[in-house]
Amino acid sequence: MRKLISIILILCVVFLSACTLPGAYWEQGEIPDSTEGKDLTLGDAADNVFSLNCNRKYSFNPLIATNHSNQLVCSLVYENMVEIDNNFEVIPNLITEWKHSDDSTVWNLTIAEGRTFHDGSPVTAKDLRYSLDKAINSDRFLGRFRYYGGSAPSGDYELQVMLSVGDSQFIKLLNIPVIKYGTYDDKYPEGSGPYAYEFETKVVETPNPDKKDDQGKTEQLAVALNAYAGHPDYEKLPVDTIYLKEYTKAEDIINAFEDSYIDIVINDPSSYTNLGYATINEIHPYATTNMHYIGFNEESVIGVLPGFRYALQYAFDREYLIDLLHGYAVDSAVPMYPTCVDFPQSLNDSLHYDIERCKTILENNGFSDVDEDGWLEYLGAEVEISFILCSDSSAKAGIANRFAENMATIGLKINVQELTWTEYYNALTDYENLTKEQKEDEDFNPIEWDMYYGEVKVRNTFDISEMLAERKDENKGSNMNYSHSKDEGYQTLLYNYLASNDSTREGNYRAFAEYVLTNRASLVIIGFENQQLITHRAAIRGVNPNYGNPLYDFANWKIQFKDSETNTNDVEAEK
């Protein structure tokens, strides 16, 4: 082989927020054990070995893998159809070209020729169609392809996709991995990425050692990743072999990183699993579609008032989110990441924090201090707004409490309630998951609320239709409209935006956003999180994480060893 050193890359992920709302386009995973963060010191690839973390209790199928460590293993074994950069623009990958009809309902995708799976078979349109069809119904990507109407190969390297609603940005949804046709049910489906699994036969640990039939059973387990000679980046890959390790507890991950046995970690600064890594390490932030927002109960006495909801567009100091997340967030008053080319900057600026304007709008909509006690009433009745949030994040609590303090200065009383995840979700969904007997129990005490703090991962196209469509029995699995709103006026505006061409897209998006934020005033957008890929200082160069693939462009990474001033491509040592 072109490189004679085996390296182990340990990569660990602990960035799931327990209280992110479930929905069509949020990717769920297990909650690792929490631990208090430790300060970490300067380090490098201390022992000349790297490893990648995994969790063998969860799937290694990239289309259904919900464990984030396994997803990162999969990012080197499998390839996405396309990649998405930090401005949410498309980077060609397995799909190299794309065209769509004038109404954006028919797409023709061209696939790179000469790419092969690890068994040597070619990657074809048949495999992409198979992967897309499987992804649509998987938990990981459920709801992302709401308008998908089917697909058919039009040759070995051409795939035609039909949509029920025109979407000129459909290509942005295709940063999903490709597996070989017919391998979806395999524990380790066939991939085409720069690394291939290496297996060992191991004795399976049995849950009941007393059962003789369970003794001595074996299975093939992936223990390493080897550079795949059939990949176009083979000669550039920084390591020949990546060994798979297994860390499942946050404290173990922190200690391993502190001792330089782990060289990379991924961290979510907004989550209660935020590990508080020291600033002496190198932090590589990348954009996400994890959106923080405020929703309203439009069936409550106050939440039903459009004037009240509109006034609160000016009530949140969005820049405070950046402070609370130590710079790893962006403020935005519209449901689109600010670096996107179609971002409506003028609309965003018009909704900036303005406490006096908020007060004026409230007064113009029937709020006043009738009894002169310092607190506003509505039509002469006392007002106390119930604001609920999940207790998973100090940042969310910080935003809510700052809002309550600011509202008190203009006489609006806010009662902030931090709830457990179960309490929070049950309140948002009107306790629809409880049985009739549970609801009739004398100890049952439903939580009344007027507004809530939410967090959700939206689509790459910033289509938030599931947050606006009426919630019904048939769509509860994907719907995230907890406001009880039944207004469908947004639909035409949304469809106009989705079908727009480059010259009309920003204007059409602005029209859609204006309707949602100022006409209906259904949501108040706070901003978007950035997440972190963390390495030891000066240990790795060329790191270029992006949304959907923190290991993007891994072939161009340069890894510095403790006992060498050269990178891995320059090292020549016997394995």
Side-chain angles (χ1 to χ4, degrees):
M1 294 182 70
R2 69 220 176 283
K3 303 177 289 294
L4 298 177
I5 188 162
S6 254
I7 318 175
I8 305 182
L9 170 64
I10 271 194
L11 199 72
C12 301
V13 180
V14 284
F15 60 82
L16 180 70
S17 171
C19 289
T20 301
L21 291 169
Y25 33 96
W26 181 254
E27 300 168 14
Q28 297 286 348
E30 90 290 355
I31 309 298
D33 291 348
S34 178
T35 185
E36 183 177 345
K38 297 181 179 180
D39 281 344
L40 306 180
T41 57
L42 178 64
D44 52 13
D47 48 8
N48 286 347
V49 294
F50 277 61
S51 289
L52 191 72
N53 193 45
C54 70
N55 192 323
R56 293 187 174 91
K57 294 180 180 179
Y58 294 88
S59 176
F60 284 87
N61 182 331
L63 297 176
I64 61 176
T66 55
N67 175 270
H68 293 296
S69 292
N70 291 1
Q71 287 177 5
L72 286 173
V73 172
C74 290
S75 71
L76 295 177
V77 177
Y78 306 91
E79 294 182 283
N80 288 340
M81 296 183 185
V82 298
E83 299 284 6
I84 301 295
D85 68 17
N86 282 307
N87 296 319
F88 298 93
E89 294 300 314
V90 180
I91 303 170
N93 200 34
L94 286 178
I95 295 175
T96 57
E97 297 179 14
W98 49 88
K99 298 178 182 178
H100 59 74
S101 60
D102 290 343
D103 64 359
S104 303
T105 59
V106 179
W107 283 74
N108 292 296
L109 311 176
T110 301
I111 300 159
E113 296 187 35
R115 305 297 278 270
T116 61
F117 291 105
H118 299 146
D119 64 359
S121 60
V123 178
T124 68
K126 181 180 179 180
D127 303 299
L128 266 70
R129 178 191 182 186
Y130 177 76
S131 301
L132 183 55
D133 286 345
K134 293 300 184 181
I136 285 167
N137 296 310
S138 70
D139 287 344
R140 182 177 179 186
F141 299 106
L142 182 65
R144 177 183 287 201
F145 300 100
R146 182 183 183 193
Y147 311 119
Y148 177 73
S151 62
S154 52
D156 286 344
Y157 301 103
E158 298 286 337
L159 182 68
Q160 186 173 88
V161 177
M162 285 69 71
L163 305 178
S164 60
V165 171
D167 185 355
S168 63
Q169 299 185 84
F170 171 73
I171 190 68
K172 293 183 179 182
L173 303 178
L174 295 180
N175 62 332
I176 60 171
V178 173
I179 61 174
K180 183 178 178 179
Y181 179 87
T183 65
Y184 179 79
D185 294 325
D186 295 352
K187 184 172 182 179
Y188 303 97
E190 202 70 46
S192 63
Y195 289 87
Y197 288 117
E198 177 182 324
F199 298 99
E200 283 187 6
T201 301
K202 294 195 174 185
V203 177
V204 179
E205 292 186 14
T206 59
N208 188 348
D210 296 328
K211 286 190 175 182
K212 293 183 179 180
D213 291 344
D214 290 342
Q215 302 308 305
K217 286 186 176 180
T218 61
E219 66 175 330
Q220 292 287 100
L221 295 179
V223 295
L225 307 179
N226 291 322
Y228 172 51
H231 194 274
D233 290 334
Y234 174 70
E235 292 296 334
K236 298 193 300 180
L237 294 175
V239 297
D240 288 334
T241 301
I242 300 171
Y243 291 96
L244 300 184
K245 300 295 182 180
E246 190 166 17
Y247 294 91
T248 58
K249 293 184 178 181
E251 185 174 2
D252 294 338
I253 295 171
I254 294 173
N255 289 334
F257 190 87
E258 183 178 16
D259 295 335
S260 291
Y261 293 114
I262 295 175
D263 298 286
I264 300 173
V265 289
I266 290 179
N267 188 48
D268 176 1
S270 75
S271 172
Y272 86 101
T273 56
N274 177 26
L275 302 182
Y277 293 101
T279 56
I280 197 171
N281 299 299
E282 291 186 1
I283 298 177
H284 310 272
Y286 56 94
T288 78
T289 61
N290 294 6
M291 184 176 78
H292 290 231
Y293 71 99
I294 308 300
F296 300 94
N297 181 356
E298 296 185 27
E299 290 186 347
S300 76
V301 173
I302 300 299
V304 72
L305 303 172
F308 165 76
R309 302 195 302 267
Y310 176 54
L312 265 56
Q313 292 289 350
Y314 303 95
F316 286 88
D317 182 1
R318 296 174 176 89
E319 292 184 0
Y320 191 46
L321 176 66
I322 302 175
D323 294 339
L324 291 171
L325 295 182
H326 309 291
Y328 297 102
V330 293
D331 60 291
S332 178
V334 297
M336 178 180 280
Y337 198 89
T339 61
C340 292
V341 67
D342 299 316
F343 185 76
Q345 189 65 54
S346 59
L347 175 60
N348 179 77
D349 294 345
S350 72
L351 298 174
H352 66 86
Y353 174 59
D354 188 337
I355 195 72
E356 289 303 317
R357 186 170 184 181
C358 173
K359 180 180 180 181
T360 298
I361 296 172
L362 289 173
E363 290 173 344
N364 290 340
N365 283 272
F367 290 81
S368 61
D369 184 7
V370 176
D371 58 9
E372 299 183 348
D373 65 348
W375 297 105
L376 295 177
E377 290 85 38
Y378 177 67
L379 300 180
E382 292 186 2
V383 174
E384 181 172 325
I385 307 301
S386 175
F387 185 12
I388 64 171
L389 66 150
C390 182
S391 59
D392 70 322
S393 167
S394 59
K396 294 173 187 174
I399 291 285
N401 289 320
R402 169 71 68 91
F403 162 73
E405 293 168 3
N406 291 339
M407 290 298 95
T409 66
I410 62 171
L412 188 62
K413 190 177 297 184
I414 307 294
N415 177 23
V416 176
Q417 298 184 66
E418 295 188 47
L419 308 176
T420 66
W421 167 245
T422 300
E423 292 171 336
Y424 174 71
Y425 186 64
N426 282 339
L428 291 185
T429 58
D430 284 338
Y431 302 90
E432 63 191 17
N433 295 322
L434 270 62
T435 65
K436 181 180 179 181
E437 290 75 17
Q438 288 175 313
K439 293 179 181 179
E440 292 176 349
D441 190 296
E442 61 181 14
D443 293 329
F444 176 60
N445 186 24
I447 296 169
E448 303 290 340
W449 59 276
D450 299 297
M451 51 192 295
Y452 71 95
Y453 194 121
E455 179 189 348
V456 63
K457 179 183 286 186
V458 302
R459 290 185 180 90
N460 303 346
T461 56
F462 300 95
D463 168 5
I464 59 169
S465 51
E466 276 83 358
M467 301 175 70
L468 303 172
E470 181 181 354
R471 188 173 178 84
K472 301 177 181 179
D473 288 341
E474 58 266 28
N475 68 10
K476 286 180 180 177
S478 61
N479 184 274
M480 299 190 63
N481 178 0
Y482 303 116
S483 70
H484 307 289
S485 172
K486 298 176 176 58
D487 174 63
E488 300 291 341
Y490 72 91
Q491 282 192 344
T492 299
L493 297 170
L494 174 63
Y495 294 162
N496 287 344
Y497 157 63
L498 292 175
S500 300
N501 58 37
D502 291 344
S503 64
T504 62
R505 189 175 295 120
E506 181 179 347
N508 284 338
Y509 180 79
R510 179 190 173 104
F512 161 69
E514 276 186 322
Y515 181 86
V516 172
L517 301 174
T518 66
N519 187 327
R520 281 295 305 166
S522 304
L523 303 166
V524 174
I525 310 304
I526 304 299
F528 292 85
E529 297 175 8
N530 291 335
Q531 292 182 343
Q532 307 167 339
L533 188 148
I534 306 175
T535 63
H536 296 115
R537 181 172 294 177
I540 302 175
R541 292 181 288 119
V543 176
N544 185 24
N546 65 40
Y547 171 71
N549 189 358
L551 301 187
Y552 174 70
D553 203 26
F554 185 75
N556 289 313
W557 285 23
K558 310 298 181 184
I559 301 174
Q560 179 71 41
F561 288 96
K562 184 177 182 179
D563 58 359
S564 172
E565 295 183 357
T566 59
N567 65 56
T568 57
N569 283 322
D570 302 322
V571 175
E572 294 187 2
E574 288 296 332
K575 289 183 180 178

